Structures are given as C-alpha cells and as structure tokens.
Amino acid sequence: MESKVVKIIKEKPILPTYKNVGIYCRVSSNTQEQLNSMAAQVSFFVQLLSQRLDWRFVDIYLDFKSGESKDNRLGFTRMIEDARNRKLDIIMTKSISR
C-alpha cells in the first residue's frame, strides 16, 4: 500500500494596507465666522475619513493665519515635516491654495 504525504501550507496573513491621512485646515482669523468655518472643515474631513476603512487618521494641522503671508504657519510647517518623514500618505484640505 502506498502512503500519501499531506503537506500543510500555512495561510499567510493578509496585512491591511492603510494610507496615513492628515487633515489641513486654515482660516484667516479667529473671528466667530472663521471659527465656524474651521469647525465645518474639520467635521467634513473627519466624517469623510471615517468612511474609509483603508485610511488611518494621523493628525489635524490647523492654522489661523491670513493667506497673505506664509510666515508662522506652524500647522502647515508641522504637516510638511510629517510628510517628509513619511508619516503621511494623503493630506486632505479644502483647497490646494491652502
């Protein structure tokens, strides 16, 4: 009688592939109208991000600065540093000019 050898092949675990996502929001001042705009931007992007199982939230980067100057945008600077350090794959923002 011939013996048969059964080889068990272990299933390789499927690792989820996530995209690390940051949210960048900027308003030009801290007036109530602008604060409402900031809250609406953040709320929209957090809701959008929560609908994607393949996206992982990293951080929210906020700036309360006029668009006339690029100086002292601490949120933007921190976001760019995180992107350079490969902590972010996707940056969501209201407008590319932001």
Side-chain angles (χ1 to χ4, degrees):
M1 191 189 251
E2 189 179 320
S3 75
K4 294 184 180 182
V5 177
V6 176
K7 182 177 179 183
I8 299 174
I9 302 172
K10 291 184 179 180
E11 181 180 355
K12 290 183 181 180
I14 298 173
L15 300 174
T17 348
Y18 294 106
K19 295 290 184 184
N20 293 318
V21 180
I23 297 170
Y24 179 68
C25 298
R26 181 186 61 80
V27 291
S28 58
S29 68
N30 60 358
T31 65
Q32 188 60 47
E33 181 180 327
Q34 292 292 293
L35 294 175
N36 291 342
S37 173
M38 176 72 78
Q41 289 178 55
V42 169
S43 177
F44 173 80
F45 288 121
V46 167
Q47 189 174 30
L48 182 65
L49 198 150
S50 71
Q51 295 173 8
R52 295 289 304 255
L53 298 177
D54 58 334
W55 286 2
R56 183 172 39 203
F57 171 73
V58 174
D59 209 344
I60 297 175
Y61 306 89
L62 304 174
D63 280 318
F64 297 87
K65 285 289 195 182
S66 169
E68 296 174 5
S69 171
K70 296 178 184 172
D71 297 334
N72 297 321
R73 290 196 187 169
L74 301 178
F76 183 82
T77 303
R78 192 169 56 86
M79 177 190 69
I80 294 300
E81 188 65 26
D82 283 352
R84 285 184 176 141
N85 290 325
R86 302 188 183 269
K87 293 180 182 177
L88 299 172
D89 300 305
I90 297 171
I91 298 169
M92 295 193 298
T93 189
K94 178 182 173 188
S95 170
I96 194 72
S97 65
R98 301 244 164 218

